[in-house]
């Protein structure tokens, strides 16, 4: 029976799980990357598993015990938020505990979740703290783990305060949780709780008397769908994108070579034969090649190719006039961009949102390479200097992050297929899929997950207005000047046979994201 409602999930029990050992961590001050997230919903991400061989009560015992143990490695997640007399917000690692929930939806099957073209509404019921903004961590747990029994599987949903973690921190916690449940004694990725970096500011975020709210319409109707891309299709797309650059460069080289040689020929009193001209052109090209090889053009990655493709796809579906300014916004991980670098598993938010702008006319009239290059330039230029510039900019006007699609022409990429989302074996096998809840979703919100097919494949969770999604799905099967589905294999993971739609219409994306 396909699931259609969030009310189809019945809560059986709620309890508080405390760390197995007391925390010795001091209060952790929220950074300039943490504070803007106080007005965002909790992060809601989870794993879908086939039915474990153990009885459900044994499974619940294993997960409760594992959560208690892993919280000793991640004390902030058992704490609460506090604000001092000066207005600074901290995580107090006071061992107040995390919430643990047991729910049932045994009439829902694994197939009911992963087979439909659109993500079913019942998935939203697999997560706690629905609609709660992160500022609520002053009064509520910072972490909730909900274990939902399905007819032939289990879903483990994590709801985590976004002012406390980004994607890197969240998935490191989940991976460590899985390790502990499997009996691993020495965890492989120890979190770092340092607060000594440029991200820690003396400025104060002013909170209005009425508290903080999300900056988008959380009740607007949305359509949500998972698009899957095989490793082979992504490599084809990357090759196509880079070949567009090579063809353009060769064409320009040829034109410049001919112009230069022919100009010299016409002004040279000694007339050259065709053979001489050919020899000179070859010599000119070799010299130009030698110069070019000393400063190679950066290769466009598969991530950037997919992002560019998505940008074009959604822009076409939204049917903007050529003059309309569009925005593709990406969250980038700043841990290794800073000098000195932060630890790879620095705990907290260490992300900044980078906008790239272009008119709808340019996005659609230029080739895929051009769009990818605009994104590539922004990502490459976001170094230590730029990170510090973003910090100073925030300090001049401390504010929460304005999440949403304010002019109807924005795309926001979150999450990353590089996160170990499908590696989390809690003791009975790896998950078969990743899904997210209702949190922080609006027209244009995209999340990239590692693909269910493995091996470098990518699954994309695409959230759009119903009208835009319908345009993408009904677009005629023709190239539109872009790469066709035959070249990129855009299908639902369980669709058979696949209905080839135009990539530019179906949409796709991935990015080096930090959340």
């Amino acid at each position: 029976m396909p699931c259609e409602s969030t009310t189809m999930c019945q809560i059986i029990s709620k309890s508080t799980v405390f760390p197995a050992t007391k925390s010795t961590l001091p209060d952790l001050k929220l950074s300039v990357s943490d504070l803007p997230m106080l007005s965002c919903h909790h992060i809601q991400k989870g794993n879908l598993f086939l039915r474990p061989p153990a009885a459900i009560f044994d499974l619940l015992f294993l997960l409760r015990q594992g959560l208690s143990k892993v919280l000793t490695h991640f004390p902030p997640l058992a704490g609460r938020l506090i604000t001092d007399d000066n207005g600074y917000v901290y995580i107090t690692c006071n061992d107040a505990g995390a919430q643990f929930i047991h729910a049932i939806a045994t009439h829902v099957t694994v197939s009911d979740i992963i087979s439909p073209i659109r993500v079913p509404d019942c998935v939203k019921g697999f997560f706690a703290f629905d609609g709660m903004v992160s500022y609520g961590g002053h009064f509520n747990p910072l972490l909730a783990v909900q274990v939902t029994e399905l007819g032939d599987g289990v879903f483990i949903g994590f709801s985590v305060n976004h002012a406390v973690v980004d994607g890197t921190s969240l998935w490191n916690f989940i991976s460590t949780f899985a390790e502990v449940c499997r009996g691993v004694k020495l965890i492989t990725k120890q979190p770092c709780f340092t607060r000594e970096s440029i991200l820690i500011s003396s400025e104060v975020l002013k909170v209005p008397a009425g508290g903080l709210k999300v900056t988008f319409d959380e009740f607007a109707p949305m359509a949500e769908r998972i698009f899957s891309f095989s490793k082979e299709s992504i490599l084809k797309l990357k090759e196509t994108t880079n070949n567009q650059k090579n063809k353009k460069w060769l064409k320009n080289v040829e034109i410049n070579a001919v112009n230069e040689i022919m100009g010299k020929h016409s002004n040279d009193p000694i007339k050259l034969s065709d053979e001489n001209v050919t020899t000179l052109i070859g010599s000119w090209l070799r010299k130009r090649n030698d110069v070019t090889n000393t400063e190679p053009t950066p290769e466009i990655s598969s991530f950037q190719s997919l992002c560019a493709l998505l940008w074009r796809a959604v822009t076409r579906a939204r049917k903007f006039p050529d003059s309309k300014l569009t925005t593709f916004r990406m969250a980038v991980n700043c841990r290794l961009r800073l000098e000195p670098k932060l630890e790879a598993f620095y705990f907290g938010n260490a992300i900044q949102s980078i906008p790239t702008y272009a008119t709808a006319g340019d996005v659609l009239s230029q080739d895929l390479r051009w769009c990818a290059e605009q994104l590539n330039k922004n990502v490459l230029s976001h170094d230590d200097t730029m990170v510090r510039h973003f910090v100073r900019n925030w300090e001049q006007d401390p504010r929460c992050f304005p999440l949403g699609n304010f002019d109807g022409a924005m795309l926001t990429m979150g999450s990353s297929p590089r996160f170990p989302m499908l590696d989390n074996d809690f003791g009975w096998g790896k998950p078969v899929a990743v899904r997210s809840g209702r949190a922080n979703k609006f027209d244009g919100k995209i999340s990239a997950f590692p693909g269910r097919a493995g091996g470098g494949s990518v699954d994309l969770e695409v959230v759009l207005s119903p009208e835009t999604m319908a345009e993408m799905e009904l677009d005629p099967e023709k190239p539109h000047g872009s790469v066709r589905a035959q070249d990129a294999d855009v299908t639902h993971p369980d669709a058979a046979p696949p209905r080839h739609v135009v990539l530019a219409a179906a949409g796709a994306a991935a990015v080096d994201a930090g959340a």
Side-chain angles (χ1 to χ4, degrees):
M1 175 182 175
C3 52
E4 297 176 353
S5 172
T6 58
T7 63
M8 298 177 71
C9 187
Q10 180 183 358
I11 302 298
I12 302 300
S13 66
K14 292 183 180 181
S15 60
T16 301
V17 174
F18 303 98
T21 59
K22 296 290 185 181
S23 170
T24 58
L25 273 183
D27 293 346
L28 303 178
K29 189 177 182 182
L30 294 192
S31 73
V32 299
S33 284
D34 298 324
L35 290 166
M37 302 302 176
L38 285 170
S39 66
C40 295
H41 290 144
H42 287 56
I43 301 177
Q44 294 179 327
K45 295 288 194 303
N47 283 142
L48 176 65
F49 298 86
L50 298 177
R51 185 197 303 275
I56 186 62
F57 295 107
D58 293 332
L59 175 68
L60 292 171
F61 179 81
L62 168 72
L63 293 173
R64 270 199 204 93
Q65 291 295 104
L67 180 57
S68 178
K69 292 176 182 178
V70 77
L71 286 174
T72 66
H73 299 287
F74 292 83
L77 293 179
R80 299 292 186 270
L81 298 182
I82 59 171
T83 300
D84 70 11
D85 293 339
N86 296 315
Y88 296 119
V89 185
Y90 294 82
I91 307 168
T92 180
C93 302
N94 60 0
D95 301 312
Q99 189 172 96
F100 187 87
I101 302 167
H102 172 210
I104 59 172
T106 51
H107 51 285
V108 177
T109 67
V110 170
S111 179
D112 288 337
I113 296 170
I114 63 178
S115 292
I117 291 177
R118 301 283 181 89
V119 176
D121 283 342
C122 65
V123 171
K124 299 177 178 64
F126 298 163
F127 299 91
F129 301 155
D130 206 25
M132 184 185 297
V133 298
S134 293
Y135 188 76
H138 284 81
F139 323 105
N140 298 281
L142 304 182
L143 164 69
V145 179
Q146 179 172 321
V147 181
T148 304
E149 293 181 69
L150 306 177
D152 57 355
V154 169
F155 192 95
I156 304 179
F158 298 88
S159 301
V160 193
N161 193 294
H162 206 338
V164 175
V165 300
D166 60 9
T168 298
S169 296
L170 170 62
W171 288 104
N172 186 34
F173 164 73
I174 296 173
S175 296
T176 306
F177 185 11
E179 282 186 334
V180 170
C181 288
R182 294 200 311 272
V184 173
K185 301 300 182 184
L186 184 63
I187 68 172
T188 58
K189 298 173 181 177
Q190 184 68 44
C192 173
F193 300 107
T194 182
R195 285 300 186 264
E196 297 177 359
S197 79
I198 188 66
L199 299 180
I200 304 301
S201 175
S202 60
E203 298 300 322
V204 175
L205 175 70
K206 303 296 184 183
V207 177
L212 297 173
K213 300 178 181 178
V214 294
T215 55
F216 58 91
D217 182 1
E218 55 189 311
F219 302 107
M222 292 295 150
E224 182 178 344
R225 180 171 175 172
I226 303 292
F227 292 95
S228 294
F229 294 81
S230 68
K231 176 183 178 181
E232 293 74 20
S233 67
I234 292 173
L235 290 177
K236 285 181 183 179
L237 178 62
K238 178 181 177 181
E239 180 182 3
T240 300
T241 304
N242 284 285
N243 282 345
Q244 285 179 339
K245 179 266 295 187
N246 293 333
K247 289 177 182 177
K248 183 185 294 185
W249 182 86
L250 287 172
K251 181 178 180 181
N252 290 338
V253 166
E254 291 168 0
I255 293 172
N256 291 336
V258 171
N259 287 343
E260 184 170 324
I261 297 299
M262 287 303 137
K264 181 176 181 179
H265 188 184
S266 62
N267 295 317
D268 199 311
I270 303 176
K271 298 300 180 181
L272 301 175
S273 66
D274 290 341
E275 183 178 351
N276 294 139
V277 171
T278 301
T279 301
L280 283 171
I281 289 177
S283 175
W284 189 93
L285 285 172
R286 283 191 296 274
K287 290 178 181 178
R288 291 291 295 172
N289 223 13
D290 290 341
V291 172
T292 302
N293 287 338
T294 63
E295 298 179 3
T297 302
E299 182 180 59
I300 298 298
S301 69
S302 56
F303 272 16
Q304 292 152 359
S305 301
L306 283 167
C307 284
L309 193 62
L310 176 69
W311 198 0
R312 289 163 60 86
V314 177
T315 299
R316 179 177 291 106
R318 286 172 169 169
K319 297 185 175 181
F320 293 133
D322 287 350
S323 60
K324 178 69 173 179
L325 187 67
T326 71
T327 307
F328 196 108
R329 185 175 285 277
M330 298 182 288
V332 298
N333 187 348
C334 299
R335 288 169 173 79
L336 302 183
R337 297 174 190 269
L338 276 168
E339 295 295 344
K341 294 177 174 58
L342 293 176
E343 292 290 331
F345 295 104
Y346 164 86
F347 185 87
N349 287 275
I351 54 176
Q352 291 178 342
S353 182
I354 303 176
T356 301
Y357 305 102
T359 65
D362 281 341
V363 169
L364 297 179
S365 65
Q366 302 282 354
D367 60 25
L368 191 65
R369 169 77 190 195
W370 183 88
C371 290
E373 280 181 326
Q374 311 315 303
L375 302 172
N376 177 263
K377 291 173 186 175
N378 268 350
V379 171
L380 290 180
S381 67
H382 207 80
D383 55 9
D384 176 73
T385 300
M386 190 61 71
V387 172
R388 292 171 184 271
H389 170 75
F390 271 50
V391 170
R392 290 192 298 271
N393 182 59
W394 184 88
E395 288 178 327
Q396 291 172 6
D397 180 21
R399 60 202 180 279
C400 285
F401 183 66
L403 196 63
N405 181 9
F406 305 110
D407 63 358
M410 301 179 70
L411 287 171
T412 298
M413 169 60 68
S415 199
S416 170
R418 298 181 181 183
F419 293 150
M421 302 181 188
L422 294 178
D423 298 334
N424 303 313
D425 183 352
F426 287 83
W428 65 89
K430 294 183 178 182
V432 296
V434 183
R435 290 294 184 269
S436 67
R438 190 194 314 271
N440 300 314
K441 288 184 176 175
F442 48 86
D443 178 18
K445 177 65 184 295
I446 316 296
S447 297
F449 306 149
R452 287 177 54 214
S457 61
V458 175
D459 283 353
L460 299 167
E461 178 189 79
V462 180
V463 181
L464 295 168
S465 70
E467 298 78 14
T468 301
M469 184 70 80
E471 286 294 329
M472 291 178 67
E473 292 174 341
L474 297 177
D475 197 285
E477 297 182 6
K478 54 186 176 181
H480 285 299
S482 186
V483 182
R484 294 177 298 171
Q486 295 93 305
D487 302 317
D489 208 17
V490 183
T491 63
H492 182 268
D494 296 290
R499 183 178 76 88
H500 287 307
V501 294
V502 181
L503 256 185
V511 68
D512 175 17

